[in-house]
């Protein structure tokens, strides 16, 4: 290690203490490789601050020494946004030690937490005061709330509560020069100038490091009903959604869809998950109703609406969950899609969002085009049907992905098909996963040039030296 890097280690240790700085070596593996094992970078150090003041000192030190900063939460992202590049002079900043729940207010329906809080911990803290934090996704036992904010995570409750952006009232963040943006206000109404906090939500750590947030809480669901519906196609799922909205209104909490091929991939590769229903149709829809009042019978309206759908030929079959164990078993399938896909082959994943009216055409067209162009691809799909977000995934046997150049060409071919079809249906290429490394070329190809110009301008304003999470969104050296 060069003398300058040794000096950097000493400088960082002076801020947080020796035991909270991990020098480059074997111990770096969990921090320099993304969750899917697709990207591998390097770092002079992994540093774990214990306070916002320490984060600010680290950032000021790195800015002075021209060391690149890579903010990292639980490292569960799908696009490599938390992975350093292959330059040696990176400093990975992990907020694992910043896990305090600073305040919970049942009166204001808010919770103030530090960015290193695990999502499940935020949910539990809300539950302890009889409140509900609705963000929910498969990685909630390991992902950190700072990462959720930085990627504007979606999850299975977006239909009713919106994405993370809609759940953030206030924000604290350290800017690329070490100054602290203090927007940590629990105000429901604040129209005093630009909504600066929004810049950091979904910015993937390229504009600063989120260190704390004030989040919205809600009354917890006290009554619920869940069903699994077997369908012939996405159009039927949309018709069921329209019918349910007319009958139960805002009680429609979640609407998740999976293709048969997606469930088969889980059944083949995730042994601890049992598929609690027969696979007899091409598509499967999870419908969940919730109400904040205890004792409300939601099974009856759900059963009636779905029986009517079957009678009208819209649904093929309906399984009503009769107990909590059955409900958990059905959700376990949905929450295992990422794990199942990762184990099934090389994953070419997409995060398209299209208008609801165009979802059925999008799904049909994109699958046909991928299969025609890449016959050996196994196309699986899942998504949050109610908000237009369908994940189109091509699983490729790893035997076809031995050569990097061949793999890159194959991925580019599939991406172009999905992106062109997404654009044709009036959609966007990223609904909740972000851009990171994976989607940089795709963003440059499909985005409005003015959008790119404005985003680059904001990046240059806040991070003129391009040291904050370089190589993400725009590419290496962007500032």
């Amino acid at each position: 290690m060069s003398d300058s890097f040794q000096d950097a280690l000493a400088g960082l240790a002076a801020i947080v203490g020796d035991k909270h700085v991990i020098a480059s070596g074997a111990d770096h593996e969990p921090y320099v490789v993304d969750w899917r094992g697709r990207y591998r970078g390097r770092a002079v150090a992994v540093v774990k601050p214990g306070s916002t003041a320490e984060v600010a000192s680290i950032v000021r030190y790195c800015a002075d020494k021209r060391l690149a900063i890579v903010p990292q939460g639980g490292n569960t992202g799908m696009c490599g946004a938390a992975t350093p590049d292959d330059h040696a002079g990176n400093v990975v900043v992990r907020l694992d030690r910043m896990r305090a729940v600073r305040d919970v207010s049942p009166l204001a329906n808010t919770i103030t937490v530090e960015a290193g809080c695990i999502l499940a911990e935020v949910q539990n803290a809300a539950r302890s005061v009889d409140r509900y934090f609705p963000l929910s996704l498969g990685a909630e036992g390991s992902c950190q709330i700072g990462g959720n904010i930085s990627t504007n995570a979606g999850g299975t409750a977006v239909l009713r509560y919106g994405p993370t952006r809609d759940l953030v009232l206030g924000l604290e963040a350290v800017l690329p020069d070490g100054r602290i943006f203090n927007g940590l206000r629990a105000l429901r109404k604040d129209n005093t100038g630009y909504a600066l906090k929004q810049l950091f939500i979904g910015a993937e750590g390229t504009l600063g490091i989120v260190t704390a947030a004030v989040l919205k809480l809600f009354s917890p669901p006290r009554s619920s009903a869940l069903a699994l519906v077997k369908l012939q196609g996405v159009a039927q799922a949309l018709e069921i959604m329209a019918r349910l909205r007319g009958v139960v209104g805002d009680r429609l909490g979640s609407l998740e869809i999976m293709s048969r091929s997606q469930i088969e991939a889980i059944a083949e590769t995730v042994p601890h998950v049992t598929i609690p229903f027969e696979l007899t149709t091409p598509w499967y829809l999870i419908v969940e109703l919730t109400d904040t009042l205890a004792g409300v019978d939601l099974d009856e309206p759900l059963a009636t609406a779905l029986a009517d759908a079957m009678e009208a030929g819209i649904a093929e079959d309906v399984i009503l969950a009769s107990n909590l164990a059955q409900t958990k078993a059905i959700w376990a399938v949905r929450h295992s899609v990422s794990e199942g896909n990762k184990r099934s082959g090389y994953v070419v994943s997409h995060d398209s969002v299209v208008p609801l009216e165009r979802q059925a055409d999008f799904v049909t067209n994109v699958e046909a085009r991928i299969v025609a162009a890449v016959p050996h691809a196994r196309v699986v799909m899942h998504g949050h049907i109610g908000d237009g977000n369908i994940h189109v995934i091509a699983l490729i046997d790893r035997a076809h992905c031995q050569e990097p150049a061949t793999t890159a060409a194959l991925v580019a071919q599939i991406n172009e098909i999905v992106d062109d079809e997404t654009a044709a249906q009036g959609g966007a290429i990223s609904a909740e996963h972000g851009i990171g490394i994976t989607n940089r070329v795709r963003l440059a190809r499909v985005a409005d040039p003015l959008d790119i110009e404005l985003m680059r301008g904001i990046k240059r304003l806040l991070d003129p030296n391009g040291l904050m999470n370089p190589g993400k969104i725009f590419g290496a050296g962007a500032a």
Side-chain angles (χ1 to χ4, degrees):
M1 182 179 289
S2 69
D3 290 342
S4 62
F5 287 167
Q6 289 284 8
D7 290 344
L9 290 173
L12 293 168
I15 297 170
V16 301
D18 290 333
K19 68 179 181 179
H20 302 306
V21 177
I22 305 172
S24 60
D27 291 340
H28 270 199
E29 186 76 5
Y31 309 106
V32 299
V33 179
D34 73 302
W35 180 80
R36 293 194 295 178
R38 190 156 299 178
Y39 307 111
R40 180 181 297 273
R42 291 190 294 166
V44 62
V46 176
V47 59
K48 298 183 178 183
S51 67
T52 300
E54 287 187 355
V55 175
S57 294
I58 290 166
V59 172
R60 285 194 297 270
Y61 180 86
C62 291
D64 181 62
K65 301 298 183 182
R66 289 294 192 268
L67 296 169
I69 302 160
V70 182
Q72 189 177 98
N75 199 21
T76 61
M78 302 293 287
C79 299
T83 305
D85 61 21
D86 61 0
H87 292 88
N90 293 307
V91 174
V92 174
V93 179
R94 291 272 305 202
L95 303 187
D96 305 61
R97 296 172 59 215
M98 295 180 60
R99 294 172 70 165
V101 176
R102 295 184 183 178
D103 180 67
V104 185
S105 174
L107 175 63
N109 267 350
T110 62
I111 184 170
T112 304
V113 299
E114 292 182 341
C117 276
I118 302 299
L119 174 55
E121 295 173 352
V122 180
Q123 297 167 343
N124 290 336
R127 195 175 296 117
S128 71
V129 294
D130 195 32
R131 292 297 184 267
Y132 175 61
F133 184 62
L135 182 62
S136 179
L137 40 95
E140 61 192 31
S142 56
C143 63
Q144 296 177 10
I145 197 66
N148 299 144
I149 292 168
S150 296
T151 56
N152 188 28
T156 57
V158 169
L159 181 63
R160 185 167 184 175
Y161 298 98
T164 302
R165 186 181 300 279
D166 293 344
L167 303 175
V168 177
L169 285 172
L171 206 64
E172 177 186 85
V174 175
L175 303 180
D177 60 5
R179 289 180 294 170
I180 298 172
F181 167 72
N182 185 9
L184 209 59
R185 293 182 289 274
L187 301 176
R188 298 277 170 167
K189 299 172 71 175
D190 184 356
N191 202 25
T192 49
Y194 300 146
L196 296 175
K197 70 181 181 187
Q198 298 293 349
L199 288 174
F200 303 98
I201 304 173
E204 302 180 65
T206 62
L207 301 180
I209 302 177
V210 173
T211 51
V214 182
L215 306 170
K216 294 179 184 178
L217 298 181
F218 299 84
S219 298
R222 293 183 172 88
S223 301
S224 65
L226 182 133
L228 181 107
V229 186
K230 298 183 178 183
L231 304 168
Q232 290 298 325
V234 171
Q236 287 73 33
L238 295 169
E239 176 62 25
I240 287 173
M241 180 182 73
R243 285 170 172 251
L244 286 170
R245 280 179 166 165
V247 174
V248 301
D250 287 342
R251 291 185 177 91
L252 181 57
S254 296
L255 206 63
E256 298 290 306
I257 197 164
M258 296 175 285
S259 67
R260 176 172 178 161
S261 56
Q262 175 65 88
I263 299 173
E264 288 172 339
I266 296 168
E268 294 165 7
T269 61
V270 188
H272 65 271
V273 172
T274 300
I275 311 302
F277 46 85
E278 288 188 88
L279 300 181
T280 55
T281 56
W283 290 91
Y284 298 81
L285 182 71
I286 299 173
V287 182
E288 185 172 55
L289 307 186
T290 61
D291 198 292
T292 59
L293 293 175
V296 176
D297 182 7
L298 297 177
D299 289 318
E300 191 279 329
L302 181 58
T304 299
L306 295 179
D308 290 344
M310 286 183 62
E311 187 174 343
I314 299 168
E316 299 298 316
D317 194 12
V318 173
I319 300 171
L320 291 168
S322 58
N323 52 55
L324 182 60
Q326 195 172 15
T327 296
K328 288 182 175 181
I330 291 173
W331 274 121
V333 178
R334 173 61 184 87
H335 286 312
S336 299
V337 294
S338 295
E339 184 179 359
N341 291 340
K342 181 181 178 180
R343 295 180 178 189
S344 296
Y346 188 92
V347 180
V348 187
S349 180
H350 305 90
D351 183 30
S352 298
V353 57
V354 300
L356 293 181
E357 296 84 356
R358 311 296 291 274
Q359 277 193 313
D361 288 342
F362 170 74
V363 164
T364 300
N365 294 350
V366 78
E367 180 171 17
R369 291 179 62 179
I370 292 174
V371 171
V374 188
H376 57 80
R378 181 182 187 181
V379 179
V380 305
M381 299 189 202
H382 65 272
H384 321 291
I385 187 82
D387 56 44
N389 182 197
I390 291 284
H391 300 290
V392 178
I393 295 133
L395 301 177
I396 310 296
D397 190 304
R398 290 188 174 89
H400 294 281
C401 300
Q402 299 300 311
E403 298 296 327
T406 302
T407 302
L410 184 63
V411 170
Q413 182 183 20
I414 295 172
N415 286 346
E416 189 168 323
I417 290 170
V418 176
D419 293 349
D420 286 350
E421 191 60 41
T422 301
Q425 303 296 344
I429 66 167
S430 179
E432 59 181 2
H433 289 168
I435 303 302
I437 298 171
T438 303
N439 296 324
R440 294 179 309 193
V441 173
R442 299 173 62 204
L443 178 69
R445 177 175 175 267
V446 303
D448 186 319
L450 178 58
D451 290 353
I452 298 293
E453 179 184 338
L454 293 173
M455 287 191 284
R456 284 184 177 274
I458 294 169
K459 173 71 170 172
R460 284 192 298 268
L461 176 66
L462 293 180
D463 185 22
N465 295 315
L467 296 177
M468 188 61 71
N469 211 10
K472 312 311 188 305
I473 302 180
F474 305 111

